[in-house]
PDB file of all heavy atoms in Angstrom:
ATOM      1  N   ASP A1003      89.917  92.224  91.411  1.00 90.00           N
ATOM      2  CA  ASP A1003      89.162  91.259  90.707  1.00 90.00           C
ATOM      3  C   ASP A1003      88.476  90.408  91.788  1.00 90.00           C
ATOM      4  O   ASP A1003      89.104  89.506  92.353  1.00 90.00           O
ATOM      5  CB  ASP A1003      90.021  90.409  89.784  1.00 90.00           C
ATOM      6  CG  ASP A1003      89.236  89.418  88.956  1.00 90.00           C
ATOM      7  OD1 ASP A1003      88.125  89.040  89.349  1.00 90.00           O
ATOM      8  OD2 ASP A1003      89.745  89.065  87.871  1.00 90.00           O
ATOM      9  N   ASN A1004      87.210  90.695  92.017  1.00 84.00           N
ATOM     10  CA  ASN A1004      86.522  90.034  93.138  1.00 84.00           C
ATOM     11  C   ASN A1004      86.355  88.530  92.865  1.00 84.00           C
ATOM     12  O   ASN A1004      86.354  87.706  93.782  1.00 84.00           O
ATOM     13  CB  ASN A1004      85.167  90.679  93.395  1.00 84.00           C
ATOM     14  CG  ASN A1004      85.295  92.047  93.946  1.00 84.00           C
ATOM     15  OD1 ASN A1004      86.243  92.372  94.685  1.00 84.00           O
ATOM     16  ND2 ASN A1004      84.363  92.939  93.615  1.00 84.00           N
ATOM     17  N   ALA A1005      86.210  88.161  91.601  1.00 86.00           N
ATOM     18  CA  ALA A1005      86.035  86.767  91.250  1.00 86.00           C
ATOM     19  C   ALA A1005      87.303  85.962  91.605  1.00 86.00           C
ATOM     20  O   ALA A1005      87.194  84.769  91.913  1.00 86.00           O
ATOM     21  CB  ALA A1005      85.706  86.622  89.776  1.00 86.00           C
ATOM     22  N   LYS A1006      88.468  86.614  91.550  1.00 88.00           N
ATOM     23  CA  LYS A1006      89.727  85.931  91.795  1.00 88.00           C
ATOM     24  C   LYS A1006      90.257  86.305  93.194  1.00 88.00           C
ATOM     25  O   LYS A1006      91.352  85.821  93.576  1.00 88.00           O
ATOM     26  CB  LYS A1006      90.751  86.308  90.746  1.00 88.00           C
ATOM     27  CG  LYS A1006      90.463  85.839  89.322  1.00 88.00           C
ATOM     28  CD  LYS A1006      91.550  86.222  88.397  1.00 88.00           C
ATOM     29  CE  LYS A1006      91.205  85.706  86.973  1.00 88.00           C
ATOM     30  NZ  LYS A1006      92.317  86.039  86.020  1.00 88.00           N
ATOM     31  N   ASN A1007      89.524  87.102  93.935  1.00 89.00           N
ATOM     32  CA  ASN A1007      89.964  87.533  95.271  1.00 89.00           C
ATOM     33  C   ASN A1007      91.358  88.079  95.225  1.00 89.00           C
ATOM     34  O   ASN A1007      92.219  87.801  96.056  1.00 89.00           O
ATOM     35  CB  ASN A1007      89.905  86.398  96.266  1.00 89.00           C
ATOM     36  CG  ASN A1007      88.478  85.879  96.442  1.00 89.00           C
ATOM     37  OD1 ASN A1007      87.523  86.634  96.508  1.00 89.00           O
ATOM     38  ND2 ASN A1007      88.341  84.546  96.533  1.00 89.00           N
ATOM     39  N   THR A1008      91.617  88.886  94.209  1.00 92.00           N
ATOM     40  CA  THR A1008      92.939  89.411  93.962  1.00 92.00           C
ATOM     41  C   THR A1008      92.934  90.943  93.764  1.00 92.00           C
ATOM     42  O   THR A1008      92.021  91.453  93.163  1.00 92.00           O
ATOM     43  CB  THR A1008      93.589  88.736  92.702  1.00 92.00           C
ATOM     44  OG1 THR A1008      93.637  87.326  92.904  1.00 92.00           O
ATOM     45  CG2 THR A1008      94.978  89.264  92.429  1.00 92.00           C
ATOM     46  N   VAL A1009      93.952  91.552  94.336  1.00 95.00           N
ATOM     47  CA  VAL A1009      94.137  93.054  94.168  1.00 95.00           C
ATOM     48  C   VAL A1009      95.439  93.221  93.403  1.00 95.00           C
ATOM     49  O   VAL A1009      96.391  92.495  93.662  1.00 95.00           O
ATOM     50  CB  VAL A1009      94.183  93.712  95.544  1.00 95.00           C
ATOM     51  CG1 VAL A1009      94.558  95.174  95.381  1.00 95.00           C
ATOM     52  CG2 VAL A1009      92.825  93.614  96.220  1.00 95.00           C
ATOM     53  N   TYR A1010      95.406  94.186  92.534  1.00 97.00           N
ATOM     54  CA  TYR A1010      96.564  94.497  91.686  1.00 97.00           C
ATOM     55  C   TYR A1010      97.060  95.914  91.946  1.00 97.00           C
ATOM     56  O   TYR A1010      96.275  96.835  92.341  1.00 97.00           O
ATOM     57  CB  TYR A1010      96.245  94.351  90.219  1.00 97.00           C
ATOM     58  CG  TYR A1010      95.672  93.019  89.867  1.00 97.00           C
ATOM     59  CD1 TYR A1010      94.304  92.821  89.728  1.00 97.00           C
ATOM     60  CD2 TYR A1010      96.493  91.937  89.614  1.00 97.00           C
ATOM     61  CE1 TYR A1010      93.773  91.555  89.411  1.00 97.00           C
ATOM     62  CE2 TYR A1010      95.999  90.691  89.237  1.00 97.00           C
ATOM     63  CZ  TYR A1010      94.598  90.517  89.172  1.00 97.00           C
ATOM     64  OH  TYR A1010      94.140  89.310  88.820  1.00 97.00           O
ATOM     65  N   LEU A1011      98.358  96.122  91.724  1.00 98.00           N
ATOM     66  CA  LEU A1011      98.922  97.480  91.711  1.00 98.00           C
ATOM     67  C   LEU A1011      99.760  97.593  90.451  1.00 98.00           C
ATOM     68  O   LEU A1011     100.804  96.997  90.323  1.00 98.00           O
ATOM     69  CB  LEU A1011      99.797  97.702  92.982  1.00 98.00           C
ATOM     70  CG  LEU A1011     100.345  99.142  93.095  1.00 98.00           C
ATOM     71  CD1 LEU A1011      99.154 100.117  93.351  1.00 98.00           C
ATOM     72  CD2 LEU A1011     101.378  99.226  94.198  1.00 98.00           C
ATOM     73  N   GLN A1012      99.205  98.355  89.532  1.00 98.00           N
ATOM     74  CA  GLN A1012      99.957  98.648  88.248  1.00 98.00           C
ATOM     75  C   GLN A1012     100.822  99.872  88.504  1.00 98.00           C
ATOM     76  O   GLN A1012     100.305 100.932  88.848  1.00 98.00           O
ATOM     77  CB  GLN A1012      98.983  98.897  87.131  1.00 98.00           C
ATOM     78  CG  GLN A1012      99.610  99.264  85.787  1.00 98.00           C
ATOM     79  CD  GLN A1012     100.483  98.129  85.244  1.00 98.00           C
ATOM     80  OE1 GLN A1012      99.997  96.984  85.238  1.00 98.00           O
ATOM     81  NE2 GLN A1012     101.656  98.410  84.721  1.00 98.00           N
ATOM     82  N   MET A1013     102.124  99.702  88.340  1.00 98.00           N
ATOM     83  CA  MET A1013     103.044 100.784  88.580  1.00 98.00           C
ATOM     84  C   MET A1013     103.742 101.154  87.298  1.00 98.00           C
ATOM     85  O   MET A1013     104.442 100.370  86.724  1.00 98.00           O
ATOM     86  CB  MET A1013     104.096 100.360  89.607  1.00 98.00           C
ATOM     87  CG  MET A1013     103.427  99.823  90.923  1.00 98.00           C
ATOM     88  SD  MET A1013     104.675  99.441  92.215  1.00 98.00           S
ATOM     89  CE  MET A1013     105.497  98.036  91.456  1.00 98.00           C
ATOM     90  N   ASN A1014     103.518 102.375  86.875  1.00 98.00           N
ATOM     91  CA  ASN A1014     104.143 102.892  85.650  1.00 98.00           C
ATOM     92  C   ASN A1014     105.087 104.094  85.979  1.00 98.00           C
ATOM     93  O   ASN A1014     104.996 104.638  87.062  1.00 98.00           O
ATOM     94  CB  ASN A1014     103.042 103.413  84.700  1.00 98.00           C
ATOM     95  CG  ASN A1014     102.115 102.265  84.221  1.00 98.00           C
ATOM     96  OD1 ASN A1014     102.537 101.133  84.129  1.00 98.00           O
ATOM     97  ND2 ASN A1014     100.872 102.646  83.987  1.00 98.00           N
ATOM     98  N   SER A1015     105.912 104.364  85.040  1.00 98.00           N
ATOM     99  CA  SER A1015     106.889 105.508  85.211  1.00 98.00           C
ATOM    100  C   SER A1015     107.602 105.431  86.551  1.00 98.00           C
ATOM    101  O   SER A1015     107.721 106.375  87.299  1.00 98.00           O
ATOM    102  CB  SER A1015     106.114 106.837  85.141  1.00 98.00           C
ATOM    103  OG  SER A1015     105.457 106.986  83.916  1.00 98.00           O
ATOM    104  N   LEU A1016     108.103 104.215  86.831  1.00 98.00           N
ATOM    105  CA  LEU A1016     108.754 104.018  88.083  1.00 98.00           C
ATOM    106  C   LEU A1016     110.043 104.826  88.251  1.00 98.00           C
ATOM    107  O   LEU A1016     110.745 105.136  87.280  1.00 98.00           O
ATOM    108  CB  LEU A1016     109.118 102.535  88.229  1.00 98.00           C
ATOM    109  CG  LEU A1016     107.885 101.630  88.596  1.00 98.00           C
ATOM    110  CD1 LEU A1016     108.163 100.217  88.249  1.00 98.00           C
ATOM    111  CD2 LEU A1016     107.560 101.805  90.099  1.00 98.00           C
ATOM    112  N   LYS A1017     110.257 105.234  89.493  1.00 98.00           N
ATOM    113  CA  LYS A1017     111.384 106.064  89.875  1.00 98.00           C
ATOM    114  C   LYS A1017     112.304 105.320  90.874  1.00 98.00           C
ATOM    115  O   LYS A1017     111.743 104.429  91.595  1.00 98.00           O
ATOM    116  CB  LYS A1017     110.943 107.402  90.442  1.00 98.00           C
ATOM    117  CG  LYS A1017     109.965 108.183  89.593  1.00 98.00           C
ATOM    118  CD  LYS A1017     109.421 109.402  90.391  1.00 98.00           C
ATOM    119  CE  LYS A1017     108.502 110.232  89.521  1.00 98.00           C
ATOM    120  NZ  LYS A1017     107.955 111.402  90.250  1.00 98.00           N
ATOM    121  N   PRO A1018     113.533 105.670  90.961  1.00 97.00           N
ATOM    122  CA  PRO A1018     114.403 105.030  91.988  1.00 97.00           C
ATOM    123  C   PRO A1018     113.839 105.128  93.425  1.00 97.00           C
ATOM    124  O   PRO A1018     113.977 104.193  94.211  1.00 97.00           O
ATOM    125  CB  PRO A1018     115.716 105.765  91.809  1.00 97.00           C
ATOM    126  CG  PRO A1018     115.740 106.147  90.379  1.00 97.00           C
ATOM    127  CD  PRO A1018     114.353 106.520  90.074  1.00 97.00           C
ATOM    128  N   GLU A1019     113.170 106.243  93.697  1.00 97.00           N
ATOM    129  CA  GLU A1019     112.601 106.421  95.018  1.00 97.00           C
ATOM    130  C   GLU A1019     111.383 105.522  95.270  1.00 97.00           C
ATOM    131  O   GLU A1019     110.871 105.498  96.432  1.00 97.00           O
ATOM    132  CB  GLU A1019     112.237 107.893  95.270  1.00 97.00           C
ATOM    133  CG  GLU A1019     111.359 108.504  94.189  1.00 97.00           C
ATOM    134  CD  GLU A1019     112.213 109.300  93.185  1.00 97.00           C
ATOM    135  OE1 GLU A1019     113.266 108.809  92.756  1.00 97.00           O
ATOM    136  OE2 GLU A1019     111.757 110.437  92.793  1.00 97.00           O
ATOM    137  N   ASP A1020     110.922 104.776  94.312  1.00 98.00           N
ATOM    138  CA  ASP A1020     109.884 103.821  94.490  1.00 98.00           C
ATOM    139  C   ASP A1020     110.439 102.474  95.027  1.00 98.00           C
ATOM    140  O   ASP A1020     109.663 101.573  95.336  1.00 98.00           O
ATOM    141  CB  ASP A1020     109.073 103.557  93.189  1.00 98.00           C
ATOM    142  CG  ASP A1020     108.341 104.767  92.725  1.00 98.00           C
ATOM    143  OD1 ASP A1020     107.720 105.404  93.524  1.00 98.00           O
ATOM    144  OD2 ASP A1020     108.346 105.005  91.486  1.00 98.00           O
ATOM    145  N   THR A1021     111.754 102.393  95.077  1.00 98.00           N
ATOM    146  CA  THR A1021     112.375 101.160  95.573  1.00 98.00           C
ATOM    147  C   THR A1021     112.026 100.868  97.015  1.00 98.00           C
ATOM    148  O   THR A1021     112.172 101.774  97.867  1.00 98.00           O
ATOM    149  CB  THR A1021     113.949 101.249  95.420  1.00 98.00           C
ATOM    150  OG1 THR A1021     114.289 101.320  94.082  1.00 98.00           O
ATOM    151  CG2 THR A1021     114.582 100.026  96.070  1.00 98.00           C
ATOM    152  N   ALA A1022     111.498  99.722  97.253  1.00 98.00           N
ATOM    153  CA  ALA A1022     111.004  99.349  98.618  1.00 98.00           C
ATOM    154  C   ALA A1022     110.481  97.895  98.621  1.00 98.00           C
ATOM    155  O   ALA A1022     110.342  97.278  97.532  1.00 98.00           O
ATOM    156  CB  ALA A1022     109.864 100.275  99.071  1.00 98.00           C
ATOM    157  N   VAL A1023     110.189  97.411  99.770  1.00 98.00           N
ATOM    158  CA  VAL A1023     109.427  96.171  99.919  1.00 98.00           C
ATOM    159  C   VAL A1023     107.947  96.610  99.937  1.00 98.00           C
ATOM    160  O   VAL A1023     107.552  97.470 100.740  1.00 98.00           O
ATOM    161  CB  VAL A1023     109.784  95.379 101.187  1.00 98.00           C
ATOM    162  CG1 VAL A1023     108.922  94.136 101.267  1.00 98.00           C
ATOM    163  CG2 VAL A1023     111.234  94.980 101.160  1.00 98.00           C
ATOM    164  N   TYR A1024     107.186  96.008  99.069  1.00 98.00           N
ATOM    165  CA  TYR A1024     105.768  96.340  98.950  1.00 98.00           C
ATOM    166  C   TYR A1024     104.943  95.244  99.648  1.00 98.00           C
ATOM    167  O   TYR A1024     105.152  94.027  99.390  1.00 98.00           O
ATOM    168  CB  TYR A1024     105.349  96.442  97.487  1.00 98.00           C
ATOM    169  CG  TYR A1024     105.799  97.784  96.868  1.00 98.00           C
ATOM    170  CD1 TYR A1024     107.144  98.003  96.630  1.00 98.00           C
ATOM    171  CD2 TYR A1024     104.865  98.787  96.578  1.00 98.00           C
ATOM    172  CE1 TYR A1024     107.549  99.209  96.129  1.00 98.00           C
ATOM    173  CE2 TYR A1024     105.304  99.949  95.994  1.00 98.00           C
ATOM    174  CZ  TYR A1024     106.628 100.184  95.791  1.00 98.00           C
ATOM    175  OH  TYR A1024     107.053 101.423  95.237  1.00 98.00           O
ATOM    176  N   TYR A1025     104.018  95.697 100.513  1.00 98.00           N
ATOM    177  CA  TYR A1025     103.179  94.780 101.280  1.00 98.00           C
ATOM    178  C   TYR A1025     101.727  94.960 100.907  1.00 98.00           C
ATOM    179  O   TYR A1025     101.238  96.073 100.847  1.00 98.00           O
ATOM    180  CB  TYR A1025     103.336  94.992 102.768  1.00 98.00           C
ATOM    181  CG  TYR A1025     104.742  94.778 103.306  1.00 98.00           C
ATOM    182  CD1 TYR A1025     105.662  95.821 103.356  1.00 98.00           C
ATOM    183  CD2 TYR A1025     105.120  93.542 103.810  1.00 98.00           C
ATOM    184  CE1 TYR A1025     106.959  95.600 103.862  1.00 98.00           C
ATOM    185  CE2 TYR A1025     106.393  93.291 104.286  1.00 98.00           C
ATOM    186  CZ  TYR A1025     107.262  94.327 104.339  1.00 98.00           C
ATOM    187  OH  TYR A1025     108.530  94.106 104.829  1.00 98.00           O
ATOM    188  N   CYS A1026     101.032  93.860 100.787  1.00 97.00           N
ATOM    189  CA  CYS A1026      99.586  93.865 100.629  1.00 97.00           C
ATOM    190  C   CYS A1026      98.939  93.818 102.017  1.00 97.00           C
ATOM    191  O   CYS A1026      99.487  93.139 102.903  1.00 97.00           O
ATOM    192  CB  CYS A1026      99.186  92.689  99.795  1.00 97.00           C
ATOM    193  SG  CYS A1026      97.380  92.527  99.546  1.00 97.00           S
ATOM    194  N   ALA A1027      97.826  94.479 102.217  1.00 96.00           N
ATOM    195  CA  ALA A1027      97.150  94.475 103.482  1.00 96.00           C
ATOM    196  C   ALA A1027      95.644  94.342 103.249  1.00 96.00           C
ATOM    197  O   ALA A1027      95.143  94.873 102.266  1.00 96.00           O
ATOM    198  CB  ALA A1027      97.423  95.717 104.263  1.00 96.00           C
ATOM    199  N   ALA A1028      95.002  93.711 104.164  1.00 94.00           N
ATOM    200  CA  ALA A1028      93.534  93.570 104.118  1.00 94.00           C
ATOM    201  C   ALA A1028      92.942  93.899 105.446  1.00 94.00           C
ATOM    202  O   ALA A1028      93.482  93.413 106.497  1.00 94.00           O
ATOM    203  CB  ALA A1028      93.115  92.150 103.687  1.00 94.00           C
ATOM    204  N   ALA A1029      91.903  94.685 105.487  1.00 92.00           N
ATOM    205  CA  ALA A1029      91.290  95.118 106.724  1.00 92.00           C
ATOM    206  C   ALA A1029      89.929  94.462 106.841  1.00 92.00           C
ATOM    207  O   ALA A1029      89.060  94.627 106.005  1.00 92.00           O
ATOM    208  CB  ALA A1029      91.150  96.624 106.805  1.00 92.00           C
ATOM    209  N   ARG A1030      89.738  93.760 107.982  1.00 87.00           N
ATOM    210  CA  ARG A1030      88.426  93.208 108.309  1.00 87.00           C
ATOM    211  C   ARG A1030      88.271  93.439 109.790  1.00 87.00           C
ATOM    212  O   ARG A1030      88.940  92.769 110.558  1.00 87.00           O
ATOM    213  CB  ARG A1030      88.319  91.731 107.999  1.00 87.00           C
ATOM    214  CG  ARG A1030      86.880  91.200 108.073  1.00 87.00           C
ATOM    215  CD  ARG A1030      86.895  89.698 107.905  1.00 87.00           C
ATOM    216  NE  ARG A1030      87.481  88.987 109.037  1.00 87.00           N
ATOM    217  CZ  ARG A1030      87.755  87.741 109.040  1.00 87.00           C
ATOM    218  NH1 ARG A1030      87.592  86.986 107.975  1.00 87.00           N
ATOM    219  NH2 ARG A1030      88.350  87.177 110.122  1.00 87.00           N
ATOM    220  N   HIS A1031      87.487  94.417 110.118  1.00 84.00           N
ATOM    221  CA  HIS A1031      87.360  94.903 111.493  1.00 84.00           C
ATOM    222  C   HIS A1031      87.266  93.747 112.485  1.00 84.00           C
ATOM    223  O   HIS A1031      86.433  92.837 112.294  1.00 84.00           O
ATOM    224  CB  HIS A1031      86.163  95.852 111.620  1.00 84.00           C
ATOM    225  CG  HIS A1031      86.040  96.445 112.946  1.00 84.00           C
ATOM    226  ND1 HIS A1031      86.827  97.494 113.400  1.00 84.00           N
ATOM    227  CD2 HIS A1031      85.220  96.132 114.005  1.00 84.00           C
ATOM    228  CE1 HIS A1031      86.510  97.824 114.612  1.00 84.00           C
ATOM    229  NE2 HIS A1031      85.530  97.030 115.009  1.00 84.00           N
ATOM    230  N   PRO A1032      88.059  93.766 113.553  1.00 89.00           N
ATOM    231  CA  PRO A1032      89.031  94.783 113.955  1.00 89.00           C
ATOM    232  C   PRO A1032      90.451  94.470 113.549  1.00 89.00           C
ATOM    233  O   PRO A1032      91.381  95.032 114.068  1.00 89.00           O
ATOM    234  CB  PRO A1032      88.879  94.743 115.473  1.00 89.00           C
ATOM    235  CG  PRO A1032      88.680  93.311 115.750  1.00 89.00           C
ATOM    236  CD  PRO A1032      87.839  92.762 114.640  1.00 89.00           C
ATOM    237  N   ASN A1033      90.663  93.512 112.647  1.00 90.00           N
ATOM    238  CA  ASN A1033      92.009  93.045 112.302  1.00 90.00           C
ATOM    239  C   ASN A1033      92.510  93.597 110.995  1.00 90.00           C
ATOM    240  O   ASN A1033      91.765  93.909 110.069  1.00 90.00           O
ATOM    241  CB  ASN A1033      92.012  91.526 112.222  1.00 90.00           C
ATOM    242  CG  ASN A1033      91.624  90.886 113.555  1.00 90.00           C
ATOM    243  OD1 ASN A1033      92.097  91.231 114.585  1.00 90.00           O
ATOM    244  ND2 ASN A1033      90.624  89.947 113.535  1.00 90.00           N
TER     245      ASN A1033
END
């Protein structure tokens, strides 16, 4: 949602192997 400067991840049909720490990342060259 560019107006809110927000990115979403909708996760359905979750499995035990999806267990993890989830990190958001943003790339703006070169960082």
Side-chain angles (χ1 to χ4, degrees):
D1003 184 334
N1004 291 330
K1006 295 182 178 180
N1007 299 320
T1008 300
V1009 173
Y1010 305 97
L1011 185 68
Q1012 178 66 44
M1013 306 185 294
N1014 298 328
S1015 302
L1016 282 160
K1017 304 175 181 180
E1019 51 263 44
D1020 294 318
T1021 295
V1023 177
Y1024 284 69
Y1025 297 91
C1026 178
R1030 191 187 71 193
H1031 184 76
N1033 299 309

